[in-house]
Amino acid sequence: MKLLRYGPHGQEKPGLLAQDGSIRDLSGIVPDIAGDVLSSAGLERLRSIDPATLPRVDGNPRIGPCVGQVGKFICIGLNYSDHAAESGMAVPPEPIIFMKATSAICGPNDGIELPRGSEKTDWEVELGIVIGKAAKYVDEAQALDHVAGYCVVNDVSERSFQIERSGQWTKGKSADTFGPVGPWLVTRDEIPNPQNLGMWLEVDEKRYQNGSTETMVYGVAFLVSYLSQFMSLQPGDVIATGTPPGVGMGMKPPVYLRPGNRVRLGIEGLGQQEQLVRSWKEQR
């Protein structure tokens, strides 16, 4: 099942992607793709509905972030050994955890806004985990029971803010539009093995990233269990699990985003995103 949110920014409605590619309106069934809707019971209720009985959404509406009311946007750093190598950093003995501001979250095609003073804004295609059931001190063997599904995330990063401005990575990760999420939340039953998904990213039709989740250092089940030892995970929390090699910072010489660039990225079974890069001075 592929769930989504559509409509103007801040006024998104819940929807479902039917097998024929049409969007079906769920607003008469649930208020949002959030909270209890993401539980096993909530998803089973939606799964029992015949999409043909739902109102069809006409035209080509804006697709918003596939999860609403996100409480935490948690990220894992250097989780692919080959990406750590291109960054000149060692694979960490435990997962590196940092946060993105939830205000960075945007739709998958909304565009990337370069923040004021940006010099080194970069891209990172990542597998996103969406929590469906609260998790606290969860064993790895039960961790996936707490996952509602998966989505594509572009962990957009301003490297000079992240690395050269002191302190935590969060300041380089949290500008508005730095968290495109979606297009769909694909429920866990459709992705039996999240550790075998191809992933890619292009800038202006040039392929920079071409990897697979199979090369993660720390897998999905481990990460959910690990994070739950330090904080409770709540329905709707999003975990971005790291990126394969091919980021702009790793190029020789480095390549960073400029206004007018077009970024395309996707993950096998989870859909694609496309973003036009613009200056912060341009109107949203």
Side-chain angles (χ1 to χ4, degrees):
M1 187 165 56
K2 295 179 174 66
L3 303 174
L4 62 113
R5 301 168 70 247
Y6 70 95
H9 180 76
Q11 302 175 44
E12 293 90 350
K13 295 181 179 181
L16 180 152
L17 186 71
Q19 288 192 346
D20 64 1
S22 65
I23 296 174
R24 302 290 174 151
D25 180 29
L26 283 172
S27 59
I29 310 295
V30 295
D32 202 354
I33 307 300
D36 291 343
V37 174
L38 300 170
S39 69
S40 295
L43 294 176
E44 191 56 40
R45 179 190 179 204
L46 296 183
R47 201 173 282 114
S48 69
I49 299 171
D50 180 358
T53 66
L54 298 170
R56 186 185 186 107
V57 177
D58 295 325
N60 294 294
R62 168 188 173 268
I63 303 299
C66 60
V67 190
Q69 303 171 41
V70 177
K72 294 190 287 297
F73 196 172
I74 309 163
C75 301
I76 308 299
L78 301 177
N79 196 28
Y80 288 71
S81 56
D82 35 13
H83 170 55
E86 75 170 351
S87 302
M89 301 179 189
V91 174
E94 293 188 37
I96 292 174
I97 302 171
F98 63 93
M99 312 291 276
K100 284 177 91 83
T102 55
S103 54
I105 295 173
C106 63
N109 308 313
D110 283 350
I112 295 169
E113 179 183 286
L114 301 178
R116 184 168 64 182
S118 170
E119 300 174 352
K120 300 177 181 180
T121 295
D122 204 347
W123 56 82
E124 294 189 10
V125 59
E126 305 202 4
L127 173 67
I129 306 168
V130 180
I131 297 297
K133 175 184 175 183
K136 185 174 182 178
Y137 303 128
V138 174
D139 291 335
E140 187 173 351
Q142 284 76 48
L144 293 185
D145 294 340
H146 296 262
V147 174
Y150 306 97
C151 61
V152 181
V153 173
N154 188 356
D155 177 19
V156 185
S157 308
E158 214 303 331
R159 303 299 189 189
S160 61
F161 295 0
Q162 175 190 355
I163 299 170
E164 301 166 19
R165 298 285 297 272
S166 302
Q168 302 297 319
W169 289 1
T170 302
K171 67 177 69 174
K173 300 281 189 170
S174 294
D176 291 350
T177 75
F178 270 28
V181 174
W184 336 119
L185 188 168
V186 181
T187 51
R188 191 178 77 239
D189 57 298
E190 290 200 12
I191 307 294
N193 183 8
Q195 304 306 152
N196 188 28
L197 302 175
M199 52 204 309
W200 56 272
L201 182 144
E202 299 174 349
V203 180
D204 294 340
E205 301 185 350
K206 179 177 178 178
R207 180 76 51 109
Y208 283 93
Q209 292 189 276
N210 199 20
S212 171
T213 58
E214 68 181 352
T215 64
M216 278 186 187
V217 178
Y218 303 106
V220 169
F222 180 88
L223 289 173
V224 172
S225 173
Y226 182 83
L227 288 168
S228 78
Q229 312 306 310
F230 301 99
M231 65 190 82
S232 63
L233 302 175
Q234 305 297 329
D237 286 350
V238 175
I239 304 167
T241 57
T243 197
V247 300
M249 181 176 63
M251 300 292 106
K252 298 186 186 308
V255 177
Y256 296 113
L257 294 173
R258 297 289 180 260
N261 287 153
R262 191 168 295 275
V263 182
R264 292 180 63 247
L265 60 149
I267 298 179
E268 181 182 355
L270 302 183
Q272 299 183 18
Q273 302 183 356
E274 182 169 341
Q275 294 119 22
L276 179 66
V277 181
R278 62 183 183 277
S279 164
W280 68 278
K281 296 180 181 179
E282 299 177 52
Q283 292 296 316
R284 194 168 186 174

